[in-house]
């Protein structure tokens, strides 16, 4: 059965883990792969895509998968999840997603993503201001991911927020969330993505930003994988990468001025 989301097709795939290039399962949330997979194109309709996701999450227990390639299509997919979250919030439901960038280990600049989306309890308002990072076109996803992983490990925070505006920034933010989860694999921490729109406050100079709220679930202390650096060494490495990126951004800003 096929349906259309703008120009993107939706396919009910009985074996979605079989990727067309023969790679290993690109889908996250390993408890069960998505039974329904949607292809999101750069001209797909955001509202139709959001409605498709919300309807399937309401009526089924399995996950919904979205595939997108390139920043414009990824931006549409993420915005659709933000809107689907609003649709579900009226019914007391929420959603959480995990991202997997396909082929990124061989091609670091690959922008082909798989999003696995499930229902989740709505995110409660934060008692304190959460740790937040603004993702720009100059941000390096690995450096942002290092800062996120450091915050979860060293600062014992349970929520980190990434703000992004524009297709390129949203893609970099999503890739940073994926890489942060890879950094945290040996730490017993799962950070799922709760996407939403960031409403501008008085005095802000933007209309709307995408907010990728990473909420951590801790499974207790876990041993570092064999051959991997110890958690404290990885924390120092990640934070140093983030520091280098911050200094580079400062130098670029000074040059622009």
């Amino acid at each position: 059965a096929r349906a259309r989301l703008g120009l993107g097709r939706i396919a009910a795939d009985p074996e979605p883990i079989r990727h067309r290039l023969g790679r290993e399962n690109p889908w996250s949330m390993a408890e069960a792969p998505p039974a329904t997979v949607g292809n999101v194109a750069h001209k797909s309709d955001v509202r139709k895509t959001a409605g498709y996701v919300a309807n399937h999450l309401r009526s089924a227990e399995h996950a919904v998968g979205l595939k997108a390639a390139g920043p414009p299509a990824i931006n549409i997919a993420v915005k659709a999840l933000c809107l689907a979250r609003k649709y579900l919030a009226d019914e007391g439901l929420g959603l959480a997603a995990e991202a997997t960038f396909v082929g990124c280990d061989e091609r670091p600049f690959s922008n082909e993503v798989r999003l696995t989306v499930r229902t989740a309890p709505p995110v409660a308002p934060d008692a304190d201001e959460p740790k937040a990072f603004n993702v720009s076109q100059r941000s390096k996803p690995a450096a942002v991911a290092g800062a996120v992983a450091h915050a979860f490990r060293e600062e014992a925070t349970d929520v980190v927020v990434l703000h992004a505006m524009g297709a390129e920034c949203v893609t970099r933010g999503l890739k940073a969330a994926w890489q942060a989860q890879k950094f945290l694999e040996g730490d017993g921490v799962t950070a799922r993505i709760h996407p939403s729109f960031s409403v501008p406050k008085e005095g802000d100079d933007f209309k709307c930003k995408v907010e990728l709220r990473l909420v951590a679930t801790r499974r207790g202390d876990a041993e570092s994988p064999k051959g991997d650096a110890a958690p404290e060494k990885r924390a120092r490495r990640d934070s140093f990468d983030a520091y280098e990126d911050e200094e580079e951004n400062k130098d670029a800003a000074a040059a622009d001025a």
Side-chain angles (χ1 to χ4, degrees):
R2 294 179 183 273
R4 285 191 175 275
L5 298 181
L7 298 184
R9 294 181 300 173
I10 291 300
D13 189 347
E15 293 184 310
I17 64 173
R18 293 176 184 263
H19 187 253
R20 58 186 172 83
L21 296 182
R23 299 190 184 100
E24 294 182 359
N25 178 15
W27 300 101
S28 305
M29 295 187 182
E31 56 264 30
T36 305
V37 181
N39 295 323
V40 182
H42 69 286
K43 291 185 179 180
S44 293
D45 187 278
V46 174
R47 288 182 175 83
K48 288 182 179 179
T49 308
Y52 166 82
V53 171
N55 286 336
H56 275 277
L57 290 179
R58 287 188 195 106
S59 60
E61 295 181 358
H62 61 70
V64 175
L66 294 179
K67 301 190 295 185
I74 292 173
N75 191 39
I76 293 292
V78 173
K79 284 184 174 180
L81 295 186
C82 294
L83 194 55
R85 178 178 175 273
K86 290 183 66 176
Y87 293 163
L88 294 171
D90 294 336
E91 303 167 35
L93 298 173
L95 63 79
E98 283 192 11
T100 300
F101 279 80
V102 180
C104 215
D105 291 334
E106 298 84 13
R107 296 173 289 119
F109 297 103
S110 171
N111 284 327
E112 185 179 352
V113 73
R114 304 288 184 267
L115 289 163
T116 307
V117 190
R118 294 184 187 277
T119 54
V123 178
D126 298 305
D128 301 314
E129 192 71 20
K131 187 83 172 180
F133 299 96
N134 288 318
V135 181
S136 72
Q137 291 185 352
R138 291 176 177 168
S139 297
K140 297 177 182 177
V144 177
V148 170
H150 180 77
F152 281 130
R153 288 195 199 109
E154 302 301 313
E155 300 177 26
T157 184
D158 289 327
V159 179
V160 175
V161 178
L162 301 179
H163 293 285
M165 185 168 62
E168 183 63 35
C169 299
V170 168
T171 300
R172 287 173 182 260
L174 192 63
K175 187 174 286 187
W178 167 66
Q179 290 181 319
Q181 181 58 69
K182 292 185 70 176
F183 291 160
L184 293 165
E185 282 178 356
D187 296 282
V189 177
T190 300
R192 292 202 168 106
I193 306 164
H194 296 253
S196 62
F197 292 118
S198 180
V199 180
K201 299 176 182 177
E202 186 176 352
D204 288 339
D205 58 355
F206 66 90
K207 292 183 179 179
C208 189
K209 286 183 180 179
V210 167
E211 180 177 288
L212 301 176
R213 182 175 295 263
L214 309 182
V215 180
T217 302
R218 302 180 186 275
R219 299 187 302 273
D221 295 334
E223 293 182 1
S224 298
K226 186 176 180 180
D228 192 16
E232 61 271 14
K233 290 183 179 178
R234 282 185 281 120
R236 288 198 296 269
R237 177 196 67 199
D238 299 341
S239 59
F240 179 73
D241 288 343
Y243 172 77
E244 279 193 313
D245 189 56
E246 184 179 8
E247 292 300 306
E248 189 173 295
N249 287 342
K250 287 180 180 178
D251 292 341
D256 292 342

